[in-house]
C-alpha cells in the first residue's frame, strides 16, 4: 500500500521553464510534508517543507502548493536551471508519538533541465 | 565537518556473509534512522532510534539488526546477506519534532551482494 503517490516518474523541462511535480497522500494523520532533492551519488537533502495548515510556501524559485481537502501537494520550480537536474522526492511525516517520527516517501521524479 | 557520516561508502560482498555499516552524526540530534533505497530509487524507512531506544522497526528481516551504542551512533549489522539486500543504505538523523523535525541524510552506503 503506497501512502504517498508521486508523479510524474520522469520530467524533462527546458531551461527557464516551470517544473511541476505532484504528490497525493491517503493518511490524514500526516502532519508535515517535505520535499527532498537528491543528486547522483549523494543522500537526499531537504529542499522545502510545508505543514497542512498552510496552502502555499515559497522559498526562492521553489514553491509548495498544498490542498488539504484534496490531499494533494505539489512542487513548482520556477525558471528551472540545468543545476536543478536531480531526483525529487515528496514525503509525509508519519507521527509515531515516540519522538522518532519517520518519513514516508513518494517514488521520486527524475527531473532533467535541458539547456 | 560532515553532519551524518557513514562507512563504508561502497561494499561488495558474497552471499551468506555478515557485514556492518557504521553511522555517526555530529549534529547533537536525539533521533537516528536507517533508510533503504532500492534499484528503482524507492526510499523506505527501516528503523528509527530515539535516544538509543528503538522506536520504529518496519517489516525488515531479522537478519538486519541495528545497534545504537550512544546517541551519536547507529550501526547496522546484516547477517547472512542475500542478493536482494543489494541497495543503498542511508543513515539519517533529526531534531525533535518541536524543532522542525528536519531529517538529515548521510551520503549512503552502496551494498552489492554477489
Amino acid at each position: 500500500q503506497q501512502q504517498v503517490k508521486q508523479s510524474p516518474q520522469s520530467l524533462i523541462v527546458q531551461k527557464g521553464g516551470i517544473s511541476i511535480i505532484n504528490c497525493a497522500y491517503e493518511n490524514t494523520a500526516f502532519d508535515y510534508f517535505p520535499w527532498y532533492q537528491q543528486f547522483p551519488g549523494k543522500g537526499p537533502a531537504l529542499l522545502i517543507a510545508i505543514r497542512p495548515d498552510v496552502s502555499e510556501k515559497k522559498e526562492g524559485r521553489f514553491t509548495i502548493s498544498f490542498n488539504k481537502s484534496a490531499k494533494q501537494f505539489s512542487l513548482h520550480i520556477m525558471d528551472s536551471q540545468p543545476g536543478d537536474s536531480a531526483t525529487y522526492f515528496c514525503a509525509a511525516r508519519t507521527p509515531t508519538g515516540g519522538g522518532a517520527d519517520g518519513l514516508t516517501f513518494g517514488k521520486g521524479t527524475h527531473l532533467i533541465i535541458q539547456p | 565537518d560532515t553532519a551524518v557520516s557513514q562507512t563504508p561508502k561502497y561494499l561488495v560482498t558474497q552471499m551468506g556473509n555478515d557485514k556492518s555499516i557504521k553511522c555517526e552524526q555530529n549534529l547533537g540530534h536525539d533521533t537516528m534512522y536507517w533508510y533503504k533505497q532500492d534499484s528503482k530509487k524507492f526510499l523506505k524507512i527501516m528503523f528509527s532510534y530515539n535516544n538509543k531506544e528503538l522506536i520504529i522497526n518496519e517489516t525488515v528481516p531479522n537478519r538486519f539488526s541495528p545497534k545504537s551504542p550512544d546517541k551519536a551512533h547507529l550501526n547496522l549489522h546484516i547477517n547472512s546477506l542475500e542478493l536482494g539486500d543489494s541497495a543503498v543504505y542511508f543513515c539519517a538523523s533529526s531534531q525533535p519534532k518541536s524543532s522542525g523535525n528536519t531529517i538529515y541524510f548521510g551520503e549512503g552506503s552502496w551494498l552489492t551482494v554477489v
Side-chain angles (χ1 to χ4, degrees), chain A residues 31-32 36 38 40-46 51 87 89 93-96 98-107, chain B residues 9 31 33 35 37 40-43 45 48-50 55-56 90 94 97 100-108 110:
Chain A
D31 63 353
Y32 172 73
Y36 278 78
Q38 185 180 25
K42 301 293 185 182
L46 179 67
R51 297 186 189 279
T87 300
F89 295 92
R93 179 166 60 192
T94 313
T96 62
D101 301 341
L103 290 175
T104 299
F105 283 87
K107 291 196 171 184
Chain B
K9 187 171 177 74
T31 305
Y33 310 82
Y35 280 81
Q37 186 170 48
K40 296 183 178 179
K41 293 209 165 186
F42 185 45
L43 269 166
I45 191 169
S48 74
Y49 271 72
N50 186 53
I55 302 297
I56 294 175
F90 286 100
S94 70
K97 186 173 177 176
N101 199 216
T102 300
I103 294 182
Y104 297 86
F105 287 84
E107 298 218 324
W110 268 252

Side-chain angles (χ1 to χ4, degrees), chain B residues 62-112:
Chain B
N62 57 14
R63 298 182 295 103
F64 290 79
S65 53
K67 295 270 192 311
S68 182
D70 56 57
K71 280 188 348 179
H73 295 84
L74 181 62
N75 304 322
L76 183 65
H77 189 75
I78 315 170
N79 288 328
S80 303
L81 279 157
E82 300 177 357
L83 293 176
D85 297 333
S86 297
V88 185
Y89 293 86
F90 286 100
C91 177
S93 71
S94 70
Q95 305 155 298
K97 186 173 177 176
S98 59
S99 300
N101 199 216
T102 300
I103 294 182
Y104 297 86
F105 287 84
E107 298 218 324
S109 293
W110 268 252
L111 172 65
T112 302

